[in-house]
Amino acid sequence: MPADIVPTQAAPVEPSGGVIHDIGYQRYEGPRLGRGYAARSLYVHSLRAAFGLGRSAKSKIFPWLVVALVFMIATVAVAVRGQSGTALLGYLQFTDTVSMPTLLFLAVVAPELVSRDLRAHVLPLYFSRPLSRSDYALTKLGAMTTAAWLLLASPQLLMFIGGVFSRKDGMSGLLDELHDFGQGVSYAAIAAVAFSALAVLLASLSSRRAVAAAVIAGVYLVTAPVAVVLATLGGAIGKVSPVINPVTLIEGLERWLYGRNTGVDIGDYGVVYLAVAVVLLVAYVALLLARYRKVAA
Amino acid sequence: MALIETRSLTKRYPRVTALDAFTVDIEPGIIGLVGANGAGKSTLIKTLLGLSSPTSGTIRVLGLDPARDGEAIRGRVGYMPEHDSLPPDMVAAEFVTHMARMSGLPRTAARERASEALRHVGLYEERYRQIGGYSTGMKQRVKLAQALVHDPDLLLLDEPTNGLDPAGRDAMLALVHRIGTEFGISVMVCSHLLGEVERICDSLVAIDSGKLLRADRISAMTVQRDVLAIEVDEGTERLEAGLARAGLPVTREGRILLVPLESDQTYDVILGTVAELDLPLHRLDQRRHRVAELFSAQPQPREVENRAS
């Protein structure tokens, strides 16, 4: 028998005197992955938490109610298109149609991801680990954005599959469909980023989930009528005023980028919508990072 | 290699100086960091973790500079904060697993070590319960488990006995002592209760208003400072004068005379003096000074108001 497969009975070297307790402590010699791994783990953990996974049954109710709602809308759209042959609800339009449930989703989920940690004072435990404060903030924002995008984009995947089967024009039809679908999910990404940045920033300011949820929903609900009133003034003010509401801001952007008539009259000011959207996004992220530099650890 | 090395470490906030020319070398072991609330303990911890950069001076932890290698240090240090810091709606085992992954442990290792850490702190049976339903003592143990889960080289425990009843305090101190001795992990225990930490520590660092009061091994502090207590039935004044003539720094405490025990000869000198004066010796015994008395000669640690922490 070759020597190298003889089981060696030599006991592992015990550095602390060779006494083996039944509850002995074992040092960890395995790999220690760094900050990137920690951030990825936090991202997955947070993304799961956004849909209540790994949480109590109670915290699954609301997210999945919203998921059911958006898929119901998508299913109806597929069914109508299959019957009538014309798309009642396009990919781009889908995001605008479900913007209200999406906002409610953000109002509930963003505090779940952010305020909860503030409330329980868990941050010192994170910040005493390799992860930095900015890593934490950006990871949470990333998880929220992904969750919102999945909510907006995955029903569109269902619509795409349904759409492909209802088309009779072969390969060129498939490409057309793919192009529209691509527009739809890219616009969903814009909406997800724009909504999440504001929602996570607002949630990070309050440790009380209910307060944070009310503030997030409030910002959208209060600015909407103001934008409508200002829009009636017409002229430059009327054409630019929709930027003050996040929903009409991205609808204006959508009209400029994809040329869909969203009902928001942007006139020649499309580039203003883009500029405002970019400036706001940068400001929200900067404020979020500043918030986490200051937050007590 | 020293565990922690600071040189003239200073941290100034706009209104207060939290650390003031703090210089200390700390060797591995169980270290007590003692000081009143606001003495600078929390600032020192934050500086050790690289979460707060010093205004001036240098600091090295595990041979690394927290300002440059904060990430590496935070990967090898476990921190248990003073206040409640646990999500009530999470299961303890899941939470500690999550925290292990935050420290860089791969998924499987994180889960295994989370179970182990909870077992070591005595929460094995209860580990699948939600933290919200735990008692204060159990929550403290979860906090300790999450600090221990990634097998750190240094544990920083901020007031680990906070909010515990006497039995809970004893259990927590015994656990900390075991971690420091059996597990071979250096532990720094921050406390405002000297009597508590001196029972389990190898060395002690006393801090007041950001300044180092004293840092030494407990053994050095007690042995060097042993005193002899002498009591005679009469003629205390004459003995006091006689001992002073013999060159001993004698102090009086009521009917008792105290003489620091410098060497074995101190006994001979005292007995000689007593015999010479022909006094009835009532007792002569050795007192081990409690560490608390070492600081009594120093400025008393006082509460500092509005200390930024």
Side-chain angles (χ1 to χ4, degrees), chain B residues 65-84:
Chain B
D65 174 7
R68 249 201 359 259
D69 304 313
E71 189 193 330
I73 290 174
R74 289 195 294 273
R76 305 311 300 260
V77 173
Y79 170 53
M80 171 182 175
E82 175 179 1
H83 299 291
D84 203 7

Side-chain angles (χ1 to χ4, degrees), chain B residues 171-209:
Chain B
M172 177 57 78
L173 290 172
L175 189 54
V176 172
H177 187 253
R178 222 181 84 214
I179 292 170
T181 50
E182 285 177 35
F183 297 9
I185 297 170
S186 286
V187 189
M188 184 182 242
V189 189
C190 301
S191 178
H192 63 284
L193 298 169
L194 181 59
E196 241 175 35
V197 291
E198 74 171 309
R199 278 161 47 193
I200 56 164
C201 292
D202 306 326
S203 57
L204 211 52
V205 176
I207 182 172
D208 180 40
S209 303

Side-chain angles (χ1 to χ4, degrees), chain A residues 23-28 31-33 35 37-38 41-42 45 54 116 120-122 124-130, chain B residues 51 71 74 81 84-85 89 98-99 101-107 113 119-120 146 150-153 183-184:
Chain A
I23 49 161
Y25 182 76
Q26 302 254 308
R27 302 291 321 222
Y28 176 70
R32 288 171 192 271
L33 310 164
R35 208 173 125 191
Y37 166 81
S41 301
L42 180 62
H45 180 84
R116 197 168 155 273
H121 305 286
V122 189
L125 303 186
Y126 281 107
F127 298 159
S128 60
R129 291 181 149 79
Chain B
L51 298 175
E71 189 193 330
R74 289 195 294 273
D84 203 7
S85 58
D89 52 354
H98 176 59
M99 282 300 150
R101 299 187 71 194
M102 291 301 103
S103 287
L105 267 58
R107 186 190 294 267
R113 288 205 67 91
R119 183 164 65 83
H120 287 302
Q146 66 78 30
H150 55 295
D151 186 30
D153 294 328
F183 297 9

Side-chain angles (χ1 to χ4, degrees), chain A residues 34-60:
Chain A
R35 208 173 125 191
Y37 166 81
R40 282 197 305 281
S41 301
L42 180 62
Y43 173 80
V44 172
H45 180 84
S46 303
L47 186 56
R48 285 171 49 87
F51 293 99
L53 303 173
R55 295 277 170 85
S56 63
K58 211 173 68 184
S59 50
K60 289 183 179 67

Side-chain angles (χ1 to χ4, degrees), chain A residues 76-284:
Chain A
V76 169
V78 169
V80 167
R81 189 172 170 187
Q83 290 293 315
S84 68
T86 51
L88 187 73
L89 186 66
Y91 296 105
L92 287 167
Q93 200 185 349
F94 179 80
T95 295
D96 297 336
T97 305
V98 299
S99 61
M100 196 43 75
T102 305
L103 288 176
L104 289 176
F105 177 78
L106 282 155
V108 170
V109 172
E112 190 67 36
L113 296 188
V114 174
S115 311
R116 197 168 155 273
D117 283 353
L118 288 167
R119 178 81 167 162
H121 305 286
V122 189
L123 294 178
L125 303 186
Y126 281 107
F127 298 159
S128 60
R129 291 181 149 79
L131 209 69
S132 76
R133 288 164 177 249
S134 307
D135 294 341
Y136 173 89
L138 293 176
T139 302
K140 287 285 182 183
L141 176 57
M144 183 70 258
T145 306
T146 310
W149 182 75
L150 284 175
L151 185 73
L152 292 171
S154 49
Q156 295 186 40
L157 182 65
L158 180 72
M159 288 164 65
F160 173 71
I161 294 166
V164 168
F165 281 111
S166 67
R167 284 188 90 118
K168 311 268 186 294
D169 46 4
M171 201 59 200
S172 71
L174 177 70
L175 288 176
D176 279 355
E177 197 70 30
L178 203 59
H179 170 261
D180 293 351
F181 174 63
Q183 281 195 337
V185 292
S186 65
Y187 174 57
I190 293 173
V193 170
F195 293 168
S196 301
L198 181 57
V200 171
L201 170 65
L202 292 173
S204 76
L205 299 175
S206 172
S207 62
R208 303 178 76 93
R209 270 179 276 181
V211 173
V215 170
I216 294 167
V219 164
Y220 291 100
L221 297 178
V222 168
T223 54
V226 176
V228 169
V229 170
L230 287 177
T232 59
L233 293 176
I237 295 175
K239 289 188 168 60
V240 169
S241 60
V243 301
I244 67 167
N245 179 267
V247 174
T248 45
L249 169 63
I250 62 148
E251 283 181 7
L253 197 58
E254 176 192 1
R255 185 168 193 173
W256 187 63
L257 287 174
Y258 304 104
R260 191 181 85 81
N261 186 356
T262 54
V264 176
D265 185 7
I266 59 169
D268 296 327
Y269 296 98
V271 71
V272 175
Y273 283 74
L274 178 67
V276 170
V278 169
V279 167
L280 283 180
L281 178 64
V282 170
Y284 293 155

